[in-house]
Amino acid sequence: MLSSATIHSSLASFHLFLRHQPLHSSSALCFCSAVNDHDPLSDGLQPLPRKHNYKPTSLPKTPLSPEDKVRILELSLVTKRTPQFPGSIFVQSPGDADVASSLPPLNTLFQDDIDEDMLMRAVDIRRNVTTEILRVALMKKGKFGIRYATNLVTSLTDFIDYVMIEAAAMKRLPEFEHTSFNLRAKTVIQESEVVPLIRWLKHNSQSYIRIGKLISMTKGNLKSIRLLAEWLNRVRVKGEFLGSVMLRAGDNIFQRSQEELDEIVEYLESKGVRGEWMGYVISRCPGLLCCSMEELRTRVAFYVDMGMNDHDFGTMVYDCPKALGFLTLEEMKQKVNYLKEFGLDNEKVGKLLAFKPELMCCSIEERWKPLVKYLYYLGISRTDMRKILVVKPMVFCIDLESNIVQKVRFFQDLGIRDEAIGKMLVKFPPLLTYSLLKKIRPVVVFLMTRAGVTQTDIAKVIALAPELLGCSISKKLDINMKYFLSLGISIRQLGAMIADFPMLLRYNIDVLSPKYKYLRRTMVRPLLDVIEFPRFFSYSLEGRIIPRYKILVDNRINFKLHHMLASTDDEFRRKVAAAVDRRIRFESSVKARAFSISLLRTGDEVVPPDSESPDCSIIKTESSCLEGEESISPSLTESTI
């Protein structure tokens, strides 16, 4: 028989044993069974009051170890009743309201001292429990898959902390005073309606990462997401851009009222931005929605003061909304002042920005200054840079190293000098905006392989006519090449013609064909004349070719195409007068010789002196005389079609 002292000693030993053993230990179960096998009534002792999970109150309280405290924290936050075994110290019985009713109060764990690590551990435990509660809610009520729900809760860390704080605060309310943390967390999640909101956002093509950021930005006010989305739909923002607009607008977008947003839209419409453009503008620059009205008026006045009217301002905002709402006012002023250094006044800068507002989105230090320095290296003056800026401002928006430098190196490899490259860029600024691999290189290969241009002449062709690099091979160059070959011109001859006049391939067939037909049928000229002077196709048929040919016919003279067309009207009249004079003298000499011959035949003694021979003998042709007397080079500045 065991005495009362023996029983109490055994229980104390059992309690100390459990403190150093994991919960639900089989050793604890065996030890408890061994003690319960003895009947205290057989020794005449009073029976101990038996209760499930009974702990004697007479035993001295011993401080809990950190491991025991962590275990108690975990047990206090379990979502389901954990199966227990006989002999366990803490167990949730059917009669307990929750786990906490059979556990020591959590506030007694930290009576002696406050352990910061233990507090952080407690917070982590509650955060994990909240995460699990939210994940289960997404799978059950939201009908999401386990993988999607798991990925989603990883992006909702801020919202999980919000739920955890709100659930802890609900403990102060009378109706939730005696409820568990799990129940309070479920109540917060249900009342926030976060699950239906997530389903709606997912239906609008929003990723779980974007959904997590949006919910975190609201700081618990989840209804503001739906209200803002409905307003964005009303101003014609497309559904696939709703998430990006709300994320990029700013942190205070969910705190703005719809009246403030409507005021911004109405003001922009009054300045020329059409209502049907508003959704596109907001999608490109959501930051406009976070501007105050005072700041927005200042930004609009900045462009209006440069001479922009409502139409120019509206189209500028539509083409590049970031020019209005992305930069600070100080950055906008710096870029305008830099553009004025090229010799542009305030109004010209305004027209330039209205035409190409993307300039305002370029960096001065990273893009403009290196480009200006590189163009100066190619021999381009600041005046020519202004021409490039006005004709093709896109040149100042493209990357220098990956775009412009690569094209210049390609031209250098073709044999074009740096000075000629600079002149090419000034003559045809759009050249720098073309793709090297898809546009420039294929045209060069076409000219050298199919159009007959030799490797020696290709640099000359590109330098004289960089516009060829902008022509379509299939729609322009190949068609013209086949037309000239159909006339009987060989590939070698065509290459020489292009080297002499590179613009030959840029004319339309309906312009070339009438001129060729007039040359062959009316003027009765050989094909060789066109091969020798391909610039013939550059002159106007009605304005120059036909009128000058009629003058030659009326005066009974003949010129080569070069002397006929490549001169001004005054030069042409002088040439015609000189040719007519030579023709008259030639005819008079012929008549005198014929008269003298007739006299000899009749017996008269009239012999013409040999020294009085005409300028052009009978044997010489008129064209050969013109060749010897006229050596004026054709003017390269003559007007063309």
Side-chain angles (χ1 to χ4, degrees):
M1 303 294 287
L2 296 175
S3 63
S4 176
T6 304
I7 295 175
H8 283 287
S9 177
S10 301
L11 290 174
S13 301
F14 172 62
H15 179 71
L16 293 175
F17 172 79
L18 288 181
R19 290 187 59 214
H20 299 284
Q21 295 293 332
L23 296 180
H24 311 155
S25 173
S26 59
S27 301
L29 178 62
C30 296
F31 185 86
C32 183
S33 301
V35 173
N36 291 337
D37 287 340
H38 299 278
D39 186 6
L41 295 178
S42 60
D43 294 335
L45 301 176
Q46 294 294 331
L48 294 175
R50 301 305 302 272
K51 182 181 178 181
H52 186 65
N53 204 28
Y54 172 76
K55 292 187 297 182
T57 58
S58 61
L59 295 177
K61 293 183 178 180
T62 57
L64 295 175
S65 64
E67 292 79 5
D68 292 338
K69 292 181 180 181
V70 171
R71 185 60 180 170
I72 292 174
L73 287 172
E74 292 175 348
L75 287 174
S76 66
L77 296 172
V78 293
T79 57
K80 296 181 180 180
R81 187 175 73 87
T82 305
Q84 302 294 323
F85 299 95
S88 297
I89 298 178
F90 307 119
V91 59
Q92 181 182 5
S93 63
D96 297 329
D98 56 9
V99 177
S101 63
S102 62
L103 295 174
L106 294 180
N107 55 7
T108 61
L109 297 179
F110 310 103
Q111 285 181 349
D112 299 333
D113 55 350
I114 298 178
D115 190 350
E116 184 177 355
D117 295 337
M118 184 60 64
L119 289 176
M120 295 304 299
R121 176 62 177 167
V123 172
D124 290 338
I125 292 174
R126 290 209 169 190
R127 182 179 289 111
N128 294 335
V129 171
T130 307
T131 301
E132 182 63 20
I133 293 173
L134 179 60
R135 188 176 69 85
V136 172
L138 290 173
M139 290 190 296
K140 288 185 176 180
K141 298 182 179 180
K143 307 300 182 182
F144 296 114
I146 184 172
R147 178 175 296 180
Y148 184 85
T150 303
N151 294 335
L152 182 59
V153 295
T154 57
S155 61
L156 292 173
T157 55
D158 293 340
F159 180 74
I160 290 172
D161 291 342
Y162 165 79
V163 173
M164 187 174 61
I165 295 172
E166 290 295 321
M170 289 176 65
K171 185 72 173 179
R172 302 175 182 177
L173 300 178
E175 58 270 25
F176 295 101
E177 183 177 0
H178 301 289
T179 58
S180 65
F181 173 81
N182 298 353
L183 180 61
R184 297 195 300 272
K186 292 179 182 179
T187 304
V188 173
I189 293 173
Q190 184 177 0
E191 292 179 352
S192 65
E193 298 182 354
V194 64
V195 177
L197 177 63
I198 292 174
R199 287 195 61 84
W200 182 77
L201 291 174
K202 187 175 184 296
H203 177 72
N204 284 277
S205 305
Q206 304 302 319
S207 63
Y208 67 86
I209 297 178
R210 186 171 291 176
I211 292 174
K213 292 180 179 179
L214 285 175
I215 293 176
S216 299
M217 287 174 59
T218 60
K219 300 177 181 179
N221 186 17
L222 301 183
K223 294 182 179 179
S224 60
I225 296 180
R226 280 186 178 272
L227 295 176
L228 181 59
E230 293 174 357
W231 183 87
L232 292 174
N233 281 326
R234 194 163 64 249
V235 295
R236 298 180 178 87
V237 176
K238 296 183 179 180
E240 58 266 26
F241 300 119
L242 291 178
S244 62
V245 169
M246 289 186 285
L247 285 175
R248 294 163 51 202
D251 295 337
N252 63 336
I253 185 63
F254 293 105
Q255 282 72 43
R256 306 209 72 176
S257 62
Q258 293 191 5
E259 290 75 12
E260 294 175 325
L261 300 177
D262 290 335
E263 187 178 3
I264 293 175
V265 172
E266 292 174 359
Y267 179 74
L268 291 177
E269 289 180 352
S270 66
K271 293 300 179 180
V273 184
R274 299 180 184 177
E276 56 267 23
W277 296 349
M278 200 60 62
Y280 176 77
V281 171
I282 293 176
S283 300
R284 295 279 300 277
C285 186
L288 289 172
L289 301 178
C290 292
C291 294
S292 62
M293 286 304 303
E294 181 180 359
E295 181 184 1
L296 186 60
R297 290 190 180 95
T298 304
R299 292 175 177 270
V300 174
F302 175 81
Y303 291 103
V304 174
D305 293 342
M306 288 189 289
M308 287 190 188
N309 53 28
D310 290 347
H311 179 268
D312 292 340
F313 178 78
T315 54
M316 183 202 73
V317 174
Y318 176 78
D319 291 337
C320 184
K322 289 185 177 181
L324 179 63
F326 183 73
L327 302 173
T328 62
L329 289 173
E330 185 63 26
E331 292 175 335
M332 294 163 65
K333 292 179 181 178
Q334 290 178 357
K335 294 182 179 181
V336 170
N337 293 333
Y338 188 85
L339 293 176
K340 290 181 179 179
E341 294 179 1
F342 290 95
L344 302 174
D345 56 16
N346 201 36
E347 293 183 358
K348 290 184 179 179
V349 173
K351 293 180 180 179
L352 181 63
L353 294 179
F355 175 70
K356 199 65 178 178
E358 289 83 358
L359 288 170
M360 295 298 293
C361 301
C362 300
S363 173
I364 297 177
E365 299 295 334
E366 297 179 0
R367 182 146 297 179
W368 286 356
K369 288 186 177 181
L371 176 62
V372 170
K373 185 177 180 181
Y374 189 76
L375 294 178
Y376 183 78
Y377 165 76
L378 294 176
I380 301 176
S381 63
R382 187 166 288 269
T383 303
D384 293 334
M385 292 181 193
R386 179 180 61 188
K387 178 183 177 181
I388 295 175
L389 178 62
V390 174
V391 174
K392 199 66 177 179
M394 188 63 187
V395 174
F396 283 72
C397 298
I398 57 181
D399 185 69
L400 177 62
E401 292 295 333
S402 62
N403 200 319
I404 297 178
V405 174
Q406 300 296 328
K407 296 171 185 175
V408 171
R409 289 176 180 172
F410 177 76
F411 296 141
Q412 291 173 343
D413 294 339
L414 291 178
I416 306 176
R417 295 173 300 175
D418 293 342
E419 297 80 4
I421 294 175
K423 293 179 181 179
M424 287 169 51
L425 302 182
V426 175
K427 181 180 179 181
F428 190 61
L431 178 63
L432 291 177
T433 62
Y434 294 146
S435 172
L436 177 61
L437 299 178
K438 297 181 180 180
K439 190 71 175 177
I440 298 177
R441 191 188 298 271
V443 172
V444 173
V445 173
F446 174 85
L447 293 175
M448 297 180 65
T449 57
R450 301 185 61 188
V453 180
T454 62
Q455 188 174 0
T456 306
D457 295 333
I458 189 63
K460 173 186 174 182
V461 171
I462 300 301
L464 292 178
E467 298 87 351
L468 283 177
L469 300 178
C471 296
S472 172
I473 295 178
S474 59
K475 297 180 180 179
K476 175 64 67 176
L477 300 180
D478 187 62
I479 294 176
N480 285 16
M481 182 267 298
K482 291 179 179 179
Y483 172 76
F484 287 112
L485 294 181
S486 67
L487 301 179
I489 301 174
S490 64
I491 293 291
R492 182 184 59 81
Q493 292 173 333
L494 179 60
M497 292 172 64
I498 296 173
D500 187 17
F501 184 56
M503 298 294 290
L504 186 66
L505 295 179
R506 294 195 66 228
Y507 295 106
N508 295 329
I509 300 299
D510 54 357
V511 174
L512 298 173
S513 180
K515 296 178 183 179
Y516 179 76
K517 290 179 180 178
Y518 186 82
L519 176 76
R520 298 284 285 165
R521 298 176 182 178
T522 304
M523 298 176 65
V524 194
R525 296 287 186 114
L527 180 62
L528 184 61
D529 286 4
V530 175
I531 297 175
E532 292 178 351
F533 188 65
R535 196 180 293 270
F536 165 80
F537 292 103
S538 65
Y539 296 102
S540 172
L541 180 61
E542 301 293 336
R544 173 159 295 194
I545 298 177
I546 294 178
R548 292 195 175 185
Y549 175 70
K550 288 183 178 180
I551 292 175
L552 296 180
V553 172
D554 294 340
N555 291 277
R556 293 182 296 157
I557 57 179
N558 190 20
F559 286 170
K560 286 189 175 182
L561 294 179
H562 174 78
H563 298 287
M564 171 184 170
L565 300 174
S567 59
T568 63
D569 292 338
D570 293 337
E571 292 175 349
F572 180 72
R573 282 192 293 267
R574 289 195 296 268
K575 290 180 180 180
V576 170
V580 170
D581 182 65
R582 287 193 298 271
R583 179 182 60 77
I584 293 174
R585 286 188 285 114
F586 175 77
E587 290 177 350
S588 62
S589 64
V590 171
K591 289 180 180 179
R593 183 178 294 277
F595 179 72
S596 62
I597 293 174
S598 63
L599 291 177
L600 291 174
R601 288 178 180 176
T602 57
D604 297 334
E605 297 180 359
V606 179
V607 179
D610 296 336
S611 61
E612 295 181 359
S613 61
D615 293 338
C616 295
S617 63
I618 299 283
I619 301 175
K620 291 183 179 180
T621 63
E622 184 180 358
S623 60
S624 63
C625 292
L626 291 177
E627 264 189 63
E629 294 184 4
E630 298 181 8
S631 60
I632 302 175
S633 61
S635 175
L636 298 181
T637 60
E638 197 64 26
S639 61
T640 59
I641 295 178

